[in-house]
Structure formats: C-alpha cells, structure tokens
Amino acid sequence: MKKESTETSPSTRFGAFFRSVLFMFILLIVISMTVWISFFQFRLPQVLPLNIKSDQFSAMNALKYLENFAIAPHPLGSEEHDRVRDYLISSLTNLGVSPQIQKVDSPDSAWGVKYNGQIENILARIPGKDSSGAIMVSAHYDTVEGSAGAADDGSSVASILETVRIIMQSSKLKNDVIILITDGEESGLLGAQAFVKFHPWADDVRLALNFEARGSGGPSILFETNSMNGTLVTEFIKSVPNPIAHSFIYDLYKFMPNDTDLTVFKNAGMYGLNFAFFEGLNAYHNSNDNIEALSLNSLQHHGENMTSLVQHFGNMNLIDSKPEKLVFFNLLGKNVITYSEKIVLPIMAIIILGYIITFFHGYFREKLSLRGTFIGFLIFLFTIIIAYILGSILWKVLLIINSENTLAFETDLKITNPLFVLFIGVILIIISLLYRIFSLKIGGSNLVMGAYFSWLLLVIITSVFFKGSSYIFVWPLFFALIGLNIQLIIKGFNLLINYMTTIGFIFLTILLTAPILYLIYVLLSLSNMGLLLGLVSLLSAFIIPAIDITNLKVTRKTNRKREISTVESTRV
C-alpha cells in the first residue's frame, strides 16, 4: 500500500501562513472593537450649561461655587479654612436653608487618636412633608496641605450646594434631607466621628450618601455599600441616569489603605452608598488638584448621581428594605446586572460540573488527557510568573530612566495609558509565541483546558471568600467552556465555523473582563506594573483557542495524526 505523504508544498504552506496572519489581524480588530464597546459604561454625561432656574443638575452652576472656595489649600486650622467655612454657610443661607455649625473640641480620629483642636461641621436640614426618616448627603470641605481640593472634595461640596438649589426649587420631598459637610476628614475622619457621637440628628439618618474623589476625573462610581445592600443597589440602579457599579471594587477597596466618612457612618449602624471618581491620580492630594484639572464631565456625573438619589430616596419609604447581599456589575453601557449572593455557590457548582463535563468530552474525543491538561496548567502558571517578572523589570527600568518624573509615570493617564497599552501588546506577543510553541508540544486543547483550570480555582476561591468579586471569573469561564465544547466538536472539520466560534466567545469574555482590568489599573496605578501584566496574562487564557487555530495544518488527516499522537503520548 502506498504511504500517504504528510509533506506540504511551499505554496500550500504560504496559504496556511496567510490565513493565520489574516485571522490574527481580524482577531486584533475584534478585540479592539470589543474593548471599545465594553468601555461604553464609562461614558460621561454632557455638561449642562449655567442655569439657576433649571431643575436639572448643572456642572457649570456647581463650578461657580467652586471658583469661590477651591482656590487655595484650606486644611484644618488654617485661615483659608475659616474663610471657606464662612462662604459655605453664606451660600446655604442664600439657597434658603438654615445652616448650623457643630463645634467639637479635641475629637477622636477614626484611628482612636485625640485631635488637639476644634473641628467645625456644617449642617442643614430640609424638612420633608411626611418623613419616614432622613437622607443624609455628606462630603468634606477640608483639604490636605498644598492642595486646593477642587476634586477632593470640593467637587462633592459644590454638588451638594447645587443639589440644595434644585431641592429648594422643586416640590417638597416626602423625607427629610440632612446636609452634612464634614470637617477634618483628611486628619482622621474627625467630623464624621463628631457627628455620629454628639449630634442628635445622627439618630434620624436612615441612609447616608457620601461623595468623594481620588483623582481629577473619570466616572462617578458606586464603590461601597453595606453588606445587606439589596434595596440600596436596586434603587440606585432605578434612580440614576448613568449608573456605574461593580461589587468587586469594594472587595479591592478593603485591601487599600483608604477610609472615608462612610466608614464611620456604617460603623454607627447607618445604611449608605459611597461614590467617587478615580482617574487622574496625579491630581490627588497635591497642588495639581485645582479647578483647571477637574473634569467638568465628572462633576456633572457626580452631581447627577447625587441629585437623582436624593430625589428618589426622598420620596421612598425608608423603612422598607431587602435583607440580602447582591453581586452587581455593568454590562454594555448603563445596564447593571444583579443577582443574590445566595446563588453564588450554586453557580460555582455548575461551573465545576461544566469543567468536568468539558474535560471528559475532550478526553473521549481523544483531544484531551489528564497529563496534558496538568502540563497545560503548569505552563499557564509559568506565563503568569513571566508576565509579573517582566512587568516588574519594565517598571524599574522606567523609574531609572525617568527618576525625576516618577509621579507622572505612576499616575498621569496621558502618560500611563499609552505605556500600559504598549506593555500589554508586548506581553501578549511574548505569551502568544510561548502558547504557539507549547500548543504544538502538548496539543492546543490541553493547553486551553490547563489555563481554564487556573480560572476554575479562582472561581472557587472568590465564590467562597469574595462573593462580590466572583462574577469576574465565573462568567468568562462559563462562556469559554461553551466555546471549547463547540470547538472540540468542529475542530479540524470546518475552519470557518471554528474561526467564527473562537472570535464570538473571545468577544464575550473580553466584554466582561476589559472594563474590570481597566478599573483595577486606575485604582492601583501603573506602579503595580507586575501585577497588572500578570492579570493580562491571566486574561490571555481566552486567546489560546485562537492561537491553536493558527497551528492547524491544511489537511485534516495530518492534523488528526498529530492530535492522536499527542493524546497517546500524554494519556494516563
């Protein structure tokens, strides 16, 4: 019998190479478009013009207040601090409310240290027509040394003044609204501590809405709630025009060395929602935090959230609540997906079962093996370690080259964004080359299944210990397993369908994960380059099927022989 040749001609090899290059080019376009679509959730509202008769929040109106008090640093105890205090009192009075000053001598800081001085909280109360409790809107007016505080936290204070204007011009709300502009936040949450300990209004608060800033721009994001947040999150989504909320952020926030006034309010038993914008970290706690650097679109979003929440909760029965914990995240713009944490563990069980079924599906099709999958798992961990080490080295090199401009290279998005994209491209090229080599050695399906096992471990860990973050790993793996099962059926038989399936499921996984990676990057800054590129390599698990496709030979028979040979050499 004549032996069938497995050799291919130069023209055939060129055709295969051309198809591989074309496919990777199309894949690059799809990934870029998907990232662009996934970022719709971060679109900021248009700034409304100056109009003191409008019943809508206007950033230009709020800017007029900012231009009168966020012009110089006003830390606790300074002369400028006293001037700002008097201006805010005057502004509230002109808006038709009766402000008061709560003076407390030597209050405790949030860390139990006595402050040797006086703090002065600014308060006002707008009575409701049939109150079931009070909504409190809070922000702090003190700044750190050397910062005018236009964003932190002048943007929130100005938003409060504009919100008061709208409330006073509109129909009377059902519930009372308490305005609390705290003092001494930067020195240890002093004003918040004084309010909950000594002011009688603290007992009336049913909901605290706190607003902050950790940078000069970006969307106003809900980043903290109470553990039992069912009603809070559900009503937030209903009430604001552009809700942005990710439950994973609070899990991350708890590991960061930051606290806000809401920490004090929650410790006092209040329900609350905490909002902040995070971009432009180069303008945080320094002289760059000025009016010129502040994004008016961010101010608009901040204020729209505040006004909408006050008006919505202001007409609700504040006694009603849903005692449950929710997982929540944005998908495709302003759409927020929510579900109870009670079903996190059942979903985890489904994912585990799906992984097992997928493995046996590939095993019986002679495309997967236990040994090959384990080797794929080790290879995937190796690529993550390589990415982390390379990222750490690149960052140290950058610091050496630009030692005089370290802060900008850590926090200025105009500099860090192009660098981050460049480093992502470099690490993906390196990882793709490694995947291509290893997939030829152990089989692409084994490499994919090994990478997905890493994700399965993360599904289990987050579902058990960090339920609010579990969605980050659950749903990408869910869709990836569906895609892999389809590929196990059609692999090597219909290349076009294989291409389309791979691209389709890569689209779904990137749609979910790209915004999360961006938020982590903004929150941690580029100084954590090693960790960030490690996360990029973690996400690269979903491009392995695409790389595997480019390794397919022209003839089914040759491809089939390689797969059978690989499985036989790795089967246990």
Side-chain angles (χ1 to χ4, degrees), residues 446-500:
N446 281 318
L447 184 56
V448 172
M449 206 61 181
Y452 290 176
F453 183 72
S454 299
W455 276 75
L456 183 64
L457 293 177
L458 291 170
V459 166
I460 295 170
I461 292 170
T462 54
S463 296
V464 174
F465 299 107
F466 307 103
K467 290 182 173 61
S469 301
S470 59
Y471 70 94
I472 298 175
F473 306 101
V474 162
W475 300 115
L477 183 57
F478 174 78
F479 290 118
L481 289 174
I482 294 174
L484 181 56
N485 276 282
I486 295 173
Q487 286 181 316
L488 288 170
I489 296 172
I490 65 175
K491 186 176 180 181
F493 291 93
N494 191 318
L495 207 56
L496 179 60
I497 296 177
N498 212 339
Y499 285 167
M500 294 175 64

Side-chain angles (χ1 to χ4, degrees), residues 171-230:
S171 300
K172 200 170 189 179
L173 298 174
K174 174 183 175 181
N175 298 313
D176 291 0
V177 177
I178 294 173
I179 303 302
L180 173 61
I181 305 177
T182 62
D183 194 8
E185 192 271 353
E186 301 289 6
S187 301
L189 315 182
L190 299 172
Q193 291 279 112
F195 175 75
V196 300
K197 285 184 177 181
F198 304 117
H199 203 285
W201 290 356
D203 294 332
D204 301 332
V205 176
R206 295 291 177 269
L207 174 65
L209 304 173
N210 191 63
F211 289 79
E212 269 285 358
R214 186 175 174 264
S216 60
S220 178
I221 299 175
L222 171 63
F223 70 95
E224 182 184 6
T225 69
N226 299 76
S227 58
M228 294 298 181
N229 55 25

